[in-house]
Amino acid sequence: MGMPTVQFTVAVVEERLRLLDLVAAMAAGEERAWLAKQREGHLGLRAGRLAKARRATRELLSERRETGLLAGSRDWLLVPGVRAELTARGWDRDWPPIPPGALAAGRRWGTDPGRYEGKHDEGETRFLGRLGVRLPHEVGERLQRACYWHNAEIERQLQEWADTWGDGPDVIMRQSIREHGGVTVLAGMLAALATAPPAEALVQRGELRAKVVTTGDVLRAALDHALAAAPERARREHTRLRGAAAQAQHDAALAEERKREAEEDHQRAEASGKTEDAGEAESLAQHWNSMAIAHRFHAERLSIQATEVRDLIDQLNTLRA
């Protein structure tokens, strides 16, 4: 991102991760085209004026990334969603620092394993994809602090619950599956002897677990936000690509016309015995021929990209259906 960042890795549904990567590739192309257009205005500038123009472009790029208008990577695609989620939860404010050593890698203490499974009409979808995200330091730090302090009292109550009821049969068997790939004989015996918490206690634990909010929860919500906003971005990019392809085809036609004119000049010069003029006309015809080929190739490439974006729009619409 070109600035201090905070790194996160979050479990997501693989299909949503695949779509995010496609959207990110499209958005990166959109940003490159915008930068190329901006840099056209830098032509002919020197020294101080060029430096000033470049600085203005960088500032405008940063502003457009922050607002979500441009996104050169999937990190920037997620930033608006993270900000929106923080605002919606009332977390977009200053938080106290996290106590040293309080954050640990892995699943948040007290998190229900069911949180990592998504439900849909056809059954269950596990979060098997792994999304690496780098957020601007200010956003990432705020997200970490907000989740920590929101969860602090909830986790204290969950720890009290665990001290009171200990490891029930389900906890013992889950731990065995996690460590050994299945329920061992010893785990089965311990689970059979363990005292199951009463229904009221299990309900209490479930209610507490449901209140826990992880950074992964917020980032998955940001991913949903990015994919929900993607069709509009894709339609805008599709329009740009089709317009650029039409312009390239027009430029190819003009180059073909200039080529024919040069070839006619070459024939007239040769017929008149004007060797030097004939040579210049032949070189000009070759130049315009090369330009026509380049413009046609560019038009074909843009048309292919437009078709790919059209296909992406269909996939995103299917996701929303």
Side-chain angles (χ1 to χ4, degrees), residues 136-177:
H137 187 270
E138 177 265 330
V139 178
E141 182 76 6
R142 180 160 296 180
L143 173 59
Q144 286 183 328
R145 292 187 182 189
C147 288
Y148 176 83
W149 290 111
H150 168 81
N151 293 326
E153 176 58 21
I154 301 170
E155 291 187 359
R156 186 192 67 77
Q157 294 179 48
L158 282 167
Q159 288 171 348
E160 285 185 356
W161 190 98
D163 291 341
T164 300
W165 298 109
D167 292 341
D170 62 328
V171 175
I172 294 172
M173 289 189 288
R174 281 184 180 274
Q175 182 176 353
S176 177
I177 293 172

Side-chain angles (χ1 to χ4, degrees), residues 12-28:
V12 298
V13 175
E14 289 177 299
E15 175 63 8
R16 300 180 82 79
L17 179 58
R18 183 187 70 82
L19 286 174
L20 178 65
D21 285 337
L22 291 176
V23 174
M26 176 197 68

Side-chain angles (χ1 to χ4, degrees), residues 6-308:
V6 180
Q7 176 78 40
F8 298 88
T9 300
V10 55
V12 298
V13 175
E14 289 177 299
E15 175 63 8
R16 300 180 82 79
L17 179 58
R18 183 187 70 82
L19 286 174
L20 178 65
D21 285 337
L22 291 176
V23 174
M26 176 197 68
E30 180 185 26
E31 184 177 286
R32 286 193 298 271
W34 181 87
L35 281 170
K37 193 68 176 177
Q38 290 293 308
R39 287 165 180 160
E40 287 179 6
H42 299 174
L43 297 176
L45 300 180
R46 295 291 183 271
R49 288 186 177 180
L50 178 59
K52 183 178 180 180
R54 287 174 173 171
R55 183 168 60 253
T57 295
R58 287 194 300 269
E59 291 172 353
L60 188 55
L61 173 62
S62 178
E63 178 184 319
R64 291 192 168 222
R65 282 176 167 177
E66 287 287 347
T67 58
L69 290 175
L70 291 175
S73 68
R74 66 187 190 183
D75 301 324
W76 282 112
L77 281 171
L78 294 176
V79 169
V82 174
R83 290 191 185 278
E85 190 70 10
L86 290 173
T87 299
R89 293 177 178 273
W91 290 359
D92 193 15
R93 55 187 174 86
D94 291 334
W95 293 86
I98 298 173
L103 286 184
R107 181 181 299 172
R108 187 87 189 207
W109 196 94
T111 301
D112 187 345
R115 183 184 300 264
Y116 297 91
E117 298 173 353
K119 302 291 183 180
H120 55 80
D121 293 341
E122 299 178 0
E124 183 179 275
T125 299
R126 294 184 63 82
F127 295 159
L128 299 179
R130 291 296 178 270
L131 169 61
V133 184
R134 293 175 300 147
L135 296 179
H137 187 270
E138 177 265 330
V139 178
E141 182 76 6
R142 180 160 296 180
L143 173 59
Q144 286 183 328
R145 292 187 182 189
C147 288
Y148 176 83
W149 290 111
H150 168 81
N151 293 326
E153 176 58 21
I154 301 170
E155 291 187 359
R156 186 192 67 77
Q157 294 179 48
L158 282 167
Q159 288 171 348
E160 285 185 356
W161 190 98
D163 291 341
T164 300
W165 298 109
D167 292 341
D170 62 328
V171 175
I172 294 172
M173 289 189 288
R174 281 184 180 274
Q175 182 176 353
S176 177
I177 293 172
R178 187 167 58 250
E179 294 179 354
H180 304 289
V183 178
T184 64
V185 174
L186 177 59
M189 293 175 59
L190 292 174
L193 295 172
T195 301
E200 295 82 359
L202 291 174
V203 170
Q204 179 194 25
R205 183 183 65 176
E207 291 175 346
L208 288 171
R209 282 179 166 181
K211 294 178 182 178
V212 173
V213 179
T214 68
T215 56
D217 293 331
V218 175
L219 289 168
R220 278 186 288 273
L223 171 57
D224 291 343
H225 181 280
L227 293 180
E232 180 180 351
R233 180 189 298 277
R235 284 190 290 270
R236 184 174 67 235
E237 178 65 356
H238 184 256
T239 299
R240 184 191 71 81
L241 288 169
R242 289 190 62 184
Q247 181 60 54
Q249 290 170 348
H250 177 70
D251 292 342
L254 287 178
E256 285 285 359
E257 180 62 27
R258 298 292 182 273
K259 171 191 169 185
R260 284 192 293 271
E261 292 174 355
E263 287 174 341
E264 291 171 358
D265 289 343
H266 174 258
Q267 291 173 359
R268 284 193 293 269
E270 277 197 330
S272 302
K274 298 178 180 178
T275 306
E276 185 176 346
D277 290 347
E280 290 179 359
E282 184 178 20
S283 297
L284 197 57
Q286 291 173 353
H287 165 75
W288 286 116
N289 183 58
S290 297
M291 293 298 294
I293 292 172
H295 286 310
R296 282 198 301 271
F297 176 77
H298 188 47
E300 291 172 4
R301 184 169 59 85
L302 290 168
S303 296
I304 291 171
Q305 290 176 354
T307 300
E308 291 172 346

